[in-house]
Amino acid sequence: MSSQRGLSDSRLAVIGDTGALLARVYYMLPSYKFEFYTTSACFKEVKDAENRGTLLNALELGLVKVVDAGEEYISRAVEEAKSIGELSRLSEADLSVIALALELAGKRNVVVLTDDYSLQNTLHHLGLSFKPVRTEGIKQSFRYREYCPVCGYVPGKPGEKTCPICGSPIRRIRVS
């Protein structure tokens, strides 16, 4: 597993989240047209022996590249997720995928493969392309407001489901 910089290629950059790795889509894409990326956070989420072994083989064959985005892109991904009320629904791995898409999109054409609706919604708000793997995907994007209904706390960390101040469940309502 290695981090790679200085990426420039005429092939479409395809970024797969954990679900795309488990679906093994990297074996279905012709390498002369597509270059498949994932992040170290997604790579670490593949734990079962069969999928882990297949993914390690794909890495050795050069079918998958593990690349992590710079901190500025991670910060931008977190801020966008927070601004549209998706932060509590996204994991660190999801945010790493968004960050990598932001970074690569500055250099080449990118599409993210994911079935995660919150990830798709955030990508849509950022103007980044995505395709679902096994689902229909989102039909339209929304903005939400996340908050603690008891004390008013607004989530500041990915995946936050419970208010750290009063212990109440974080609530989310659609605002558009």
Side-chain angles (χ1 to χ4, degrees):
M1 185 168 36
S2 66
S3 181
Q4 299 180 0
R5 297 280 175 212
L7 305 165
S8 65
D9 198 315
S10 61
R11 294 176 289 176
L12 178 66
V14 177
I15 302 170
D17 71 354
T18 307
L21 294 178
L22 294 173
R24 301 178 185 180
V25 296
Y26 45 84
Y27 277 125
M28 300 172 214
L29 301 172
S31 61
Y32 65 90
K33 281 187 171 182
F34 304 98
E35 194 162 27
F36 191 90
Y37 295 92
T38 194
T39 66
S40 60
C42 292
F43 180 86
K44 288 175 190 169
E45 287 187 340
V46 178
K47 296 184 183 194
D48 70 282
E50 182 182 344
N51 281 307
R52 185 78 169 181
T54 302
L55 182 55
L56 287 170
N57 285 338
L59 279 168
E60 287 176 19
L61 292 170
L63 298 175
V64 176
K65 292 177 175 50
V66 178
V67 179
D68 292 314
E71 281 299 318
E72 66 271 24
Y73 297 100
I74 293 169
S75 295
R76 187 169 164 208
V78 168
E79 286 307 309
E80 181 64 22
K82 193 173 185 178
S83 76
I84 64 167
E86 289 286 12
L87 190 60
S88 72
R89 301 288 174 117
L90 295 170
S91 68
E92 296 283 345
D94 295 332
L95 290 164
S96 73
V97 167
I98 296 166
L100 182 57
L102 285 167
E103 185 168 351
L104 292 181
K107 303 172 184 123
R108 55 199 294 195
N109 291 327
V110 173
V111 64
V112 175
L113 299 181
T114 180
D115 285 329
D116 184 302
Y117 290 164
S118 291
L119 181 49
Q120 291 176 8
N121 191 44
T122 307
L123 291 165
H124 182 269
H125 279 279
L126 285 165
L128 297 168
S129 297
F130 62 87
K131 296 274 186 225
V133 178
R134 295 180 173 164
T135 66
E136 288 188 35
I138 62 171
K139 298 296 180 220
Q140 60 187 133
S141 63
F142 296 103
R143 289 185 180 273
Y144 300 91
R145 188 167 78 84
E146 297 178 302
Y147 65 99
C148 172
V150 176
C151 71
Y153 171 79
V154 175
K157 296 179 186 168
E160 220 170 11
K161 304 284 186 235
T162 305
C163 176
I165 297 169
C166 70
S168 297
I170 298 296
R171 181 180 233 184
R172 186 170 95 137
I173 59 170
R174 193 167 82 192
V175 294
S176 69

